[in-house]
Amino acid sequence: MSLRITVDPAHVSEGTSAAEGPWRSFLRALARERLVIAGGAIVGLVVLLALLAPVLVALTGHGPTDQFRDEAVDGFGIPTGPSASFWFGADGSGRDVFIRAVTGAQVSLAVGIPATTLALLVGTTLGLIAGFFGGRADSVISLVIDVTLSFPFLVTALCLVILNRGENGQPIVPPVAVVVVVIALFSWTFFARIVRGQVIELRRRPFIEAAESIGASRSRLIFREIVPNILPLAIVYWGVQLPLNIVGEATLSFLGVGVVPPTPSWGNMIADAQASALFQSQPWMLLGPGLFLVVTVLGFNLLSSGLQNALDPARSR
């Protein structure tokens, strides 16, 4: 996936600094973008439900790991369907699917947001170094990117999880932290490549050449001229990469190498439903995690598309 978005400093009016121009124009464009509003509303709703998970647990009296076999499972082992007590029904163990899905939203966001932000910081920094200094620095960083991308995602994740086991079989490092590192390890390369290309293009622009001709220092060129112009693009790609990383966390949890049960995650909830085979006759077991996953990814995709349109008005036309 590649983004062809540039922030053109030519639109900066006289008397306005290069840092102020792109950001003011960016914020004005955001206010006019319907996709940003729609995506922001969906993402805001998911985040709100995740934050209100403890309140919902208190209102329903159902914890994410509490089992209500007498109340939610009949004598044949069939869980109850959606009702006033169990809004999305129950799973085969008598646990509230809605409460587990809402709690799973906390887990997915707690993994996806830090992992993507860490990848943004590392990738933007290395891409900036490679694009600005070029030469040996560019060659070394490009080689590191190629080597990183040569490792298969799932195989590497499995190896790291196995190495994370102590003598007693318990994890040495919390599994959530391992998942964050694994996802960030494979995500930073995309930020680095995009930022590197953008910096190389910006260095050819007249306003950079003019700043160099009057003796501007490297730090001023980087932090006052280049960073303000690449940061909006990096933020847009953060919104593009985040839903992919949320799906990545769900995939790892589905395969049993992510968030460890009984802690609910959308991935391990789907895996539990598939393993029990009850979802064929009781589809609500998949409704909670599946609906939350689809809606969350849709919201972030709409938000990132709106951000792209805000940076590149010609694209929306």
Side-chain angles (χ1 to χ4, degrees):
M1 179 186 298
S2 62
L3 298 176
R4 307 179 73 82
I5 305 172
T6 58
V7 182
D8 191 349
H11 74 275
V12 181
S13 60
E14 250 182 83
T16 304
S17 69
E20 291 174 343
W23 280 108
R24 286 182 176 177
S25 177
F26 181 53
L27 293 176
R28 284 197 301 268
L30 283 183
R32 299 191 297 266
E33 263 303 325
R34 295 181 179 178
L35 289 178
V36 171
I37 297 173
I42 295 174
V43 170
L45 177 61
V46 174
V47 172
L48 180 62
L49 287 174
L51 294 175
L52 292 178
V55 177
L56 295 171
V57 168
L59 289 175
T60 59
H62 300 165
T65 59
D66 294 342
Q67 299 182 10
F68 301 90
R69 291 185 177 274
D70 295 337
E71 181 181 351
V73 181
D74 63 20
F76 298 98
I78 304 299
T80 185
S83 64
S85 300
F86 295 85
W87 298 347
F88 281 5
D91 63 9
S93 299
R95 297 173 296 190
D96 192 318
V97 173
F98 176 75
I99 294 299
R100 286 177 60 78
V102 170
T103 307
Q106 290 182 326
V107 174
S108 293
L109 294 175
V111 170
I113 292 176
T116 311
T117 303
L118 179 60
L120 167 69
L121 295 175
V122 174
T124 300
T125 301
L126 293 179
L128 183 60
I129 293 172
F132 186 84
F133 294 100
R136 182 173 297 179
D138 187 16
S139 299
V140 171
I141 292 175
S142 297
L143 178 61
V144 173
I145 291 174
D146 292 337
V147 171
T148 302
L149 291 175
S150 68
F151 285 91
F153 174 70
L154 291 178
V155 174
T156 304
L158 288 169
C159 292
L160 290 176
V161 169
I162 293 174
L163 293 174
N164 190 39
R165 299 294 180 186
E167 295 180 357
N168 57 358
Q170 297 299 316
I172 301 173
V173 179
V176 171
V178 175
V179 174
V180 169
V181 171
V182 169
I183 292 176
L185 180 65
F186 284 89
S187 299
W188 72 267
T189 55
F190 305 108
F191 288 99
R193 281 186 165 180
I194 289 174
V195 170
R196 172 186 173 275
Q198 187 72 7
V199 172
I200 291 174
E201 181 180 349
L202 284 172
R203 290 221 63 182
R204 304 192 189 102
R205 295 295 182 89
F207 77 101
I208 295 291
E209 295 177 352
E212 288 179 323
S213 67
I214 62 175
S217 64
R218 286 181 172 179
S219 61
R220 179 180 176 84
L221 287 175
I222 292 173
F223 295 107
R224 295 292 299 273
E225 305 295 343
I226 293 179
V227 169
N229 283 284
I230 64 171
L231 198 55
L233 172 63
I235 292 174
V236 168
Y237 197 74
W238 182 91
V240 172
Q241 190 64 34
L242 179 57
L244 300 178
N245 290 344
I246 289 176
V247 173
E249 180 277 323
T251 302
L252 294 177
S253 296
F254 177 82
L255 295 174
V257 297
V259 177
V260 180
T263 301
S265 166
W266 295 336
N268 62 37
M269 287 179 68
I270 294 173
D272 289 344
Q274 184 188 42
S276 67
L278 288 172
F279 73 93
Q280 297 179 2
S281 57
Q282 315 291 341
W284 54 80
M285 293 179 61
L286 287 175
L287 176 63
L291 182 62
F292 268 86
L293 184 59
V294 169
V295 169
T296 302
V297 172
L298 173 63
F300 278 110
N301 282 336
L302 290 176
L303 185 60
S304 61
S305 295
L307 290 173
Q308 291 181 49
N309 291 342
L311 284 174
D312 187 8
R315 182 179 182 276
S316 62
R317 291 195 294 268

